[in-house]
């Protein structure tokens, strides 16, 4: 159980420190690319060819960044937040649909509560006699 709590706290802190982690990741990737370019130049390549070879050898930079975000555990939280914002924008955009949805939801909750109160009174509690 403590491990799960620690993972949750790590993901939560990563969510709030997203900007600094992104900058650190960008600097780390840039340092690796520069090191590979220098190695290629030392081996006799021209700077342009060395840069292209280093990028090819390193692989997809954006894919690597996405894998790191997944490892940090913030990708799913960011996607959830993005989906919530999208849903709210759609609800604000179509007011009649939103009103219909809210009325339907209110009636369903009210009906469910009424049925539960009746069942609780008649069936679940013993009758007083």
């Amino acid at each position: 159980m403590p491990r799960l709590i620690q993972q949750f706290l790590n993901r939560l802190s990563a969510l709030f420190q997203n900007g600094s982690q992104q900058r650190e990741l960008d600097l780390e990737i840039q340092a690796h690319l520069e090191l590979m370019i220098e190695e290629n130049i030392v081996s006799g390549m021209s700077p342009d060819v060395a840069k292209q070879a280093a990028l090819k050898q390193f692989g997809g930079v954006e894919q690597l960044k996405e894998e790191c975000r997944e490892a940090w555990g913030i990708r799913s939280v960011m996607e959830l937040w993005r989906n919530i914002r999208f849903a709210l924008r759609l609800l604000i955009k179509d007011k009649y649909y939103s009103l219909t949805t809210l009325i339907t939801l209110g009636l369903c909750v009210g009906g469910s509560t009424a049925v539960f109160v009746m069942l609780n009174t008649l069936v679940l509690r013993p009758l007083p006699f």
Side-chain angles (χ1 to χ4, degrees):
M1 191 68 167
R3 188 176 130 215
L4 290 175
I5 294 172
Q6 185 64 36
Q7 286 177 346
F8 174 74
L9 292 176
N10 287 343
R11 288 180 181 187
L12 192 62
S13 67
L15 181 63
F16 291 113
Q17 298 173 356
N18 191 19
S20 63
Q21 281 186 328
Q22 290 293 337
R23 286 188 295 277
E24 288 177 19
L25 179 63
D26 289 339
L27 290 174
E28 186 76 23
I29 289 174
Q30 188 64 32
H32 281 288
L33 284 173
E34 288 174 1
L35 183 64
M36 294 171 87
I37 291 170
E38 287 178 21
E39 289 175 359
N40 288 341
I41 290 174
V42 168
S43 68
M45 294 183 186
S46 69
D48 292 335
V49 174
K51 183 177 180 179
Q52 291 297 326
L55 286 171
K56 188 174 182 179
Q57 183 182 2
F58 191 76
V61 174
E62 290 302 319
Q63 292 168 345
L64 179 65
K65 286 181 183 181
E66 200 63 33
E67 288 175 10
C68 289
R69 288 185 200 112
E70 264 185 53
W72 294 337
I74 61 172
R75 182 174 179 219
S76 58
V77 174
M78 295 302 287
E79 285 180 8
L80 176 67
W81 179 244
R82 198 174 323 137
N83 288 338
I84 290 172
R85 286 191 335 219
F86 179 69
L88 289 175
R89 276 196 311 265
L90 285 179
L91 287 175
I92 290 170
K93 183 178 178 182
D94 194 359
K95 292 180 177 35
Y96 294 115
Y97 177 75
S98 301
L99 183 63
T100 305
T101 304
L102 288 174
I103 289 172
T104 304
L105 189 60
L107 288 173
C108 291
V109 169
S112 298
T113 304
V115 168
F116 174 76
V117 167
M118 285 181 12
L119 284 175
N120 188 31
T121 303
L122 298 175
V123 177
L124 298 177
R125 288 187 185 171
L127 294 174
F129 52 82

